[in-house]
Amino acid sequence: MATTTITAHSAGPDREAARTSVRRRTVRTIKVYWPVATETLTACAEGDLGTLRADESFAALLRILETSPELGDFGAYGDVFEVAFGAEGFTVRPGARPALGSVGGRFLSPTLAVTTYVDAATTDDDLARVLARLTDAHPWEIPVIELSAPLDLVSRA
């Protein structure tokens, strides 16, 4: 895990009070679009986040996050991830075997966008194993999973 600590100085009479240190860490984000039941999305929107563990589809993703030490490692915190609520729209084309919908139809799926992090120094083999676990567990015929280029996360030093 490559980290850098930077101390910022501000101009003016209160220089010492304004001094702050930040830690930069180079990671890659993995963002997975995961379908859930409409009832799950509704319950979450009403503040019941515990319903995520009860959603059969989402529980599979949680198991991967919780058993992959490469994902969401923030030192004192593990299995870190963020969830954004939404919907995914699509049209089913001939040849598809959709989990939702039928050929020719336009559909909206209640979907969670789940973002987690992996250290940029993770080997290609380890990263490939984690991505394979995600795609194997994903309920869609063609999972939508984004892998970012390396970027820096900033936290307190």
Side-chain angles (χ1 to χ4, degrees):
M1 172 184 339
T3 60
T4 306
T5 301
I6 301 169
T7 302
H9 303 276
S10 72
D14 294 323
R15 282 178 128 164
E16 291 306 311
R19 175 180 277 208
T20 58
S21 294
V22 295
R23 178 176 172 245
R24 287 184 12 193
R25 177 175 165 218
T26 305
V27 299
R28 297 176 80 170
T29 61
I30 298 174
K31 188 173 189 177
V32 182
Y33 295 85
W34 203 276
V36 293
T38 301
E39 299 77 21
T40 300
L41 195 62
T42 301
C44 287
E46 294 172 351
D48 180 9
L49 299 179
T51 193
L52 291 174
R53 289 199 181 281
D55 184 279
E56 188 176 321
S57 173
F58 194 73
L61 175 58
L62 284 176
R63 281 190 296 279
I64 293 168
L65 292 169
E66 293 167 352
T67 61
S68 300
E70 308 85 356
L71 297 178
D73 177 12
F74 278 68
Y77 296 89
D79 317 325
V80 175
F81 64 94
E82 290 85 35
V83 176
F85 307 106
E88 180 149 347
F90 57 93
T91 300
V92 181
R93 293 186 177 156
R97 294 172 298 162
L100 172 68
S102 56
V103 172
R106 292 187 176 100
F107 300 92
L108 289 172
S109 169
T111 302
L112 302 177
V114 180
T115 303
T116 191
Y117 306 89
V118 63
D119 194 282
T122 301
T123 68
D124 287 345
D125 287 344
D126 288 342
L127 186 57
R129 277 190 285 279
V130 168
L131 294 173
R133 288 184 73 200
L134 291 168
T135 55
D136 289 347
H138 203 289
W140 288 342
E141 180 180 16
I142 301 174
V144 178
I145 301 172
E146 299 174 5
L147 176 65
S148 78
L151 56 89
D152 286 346
L153 285 180
V154 177
S155 63
R156 291 185 192 101

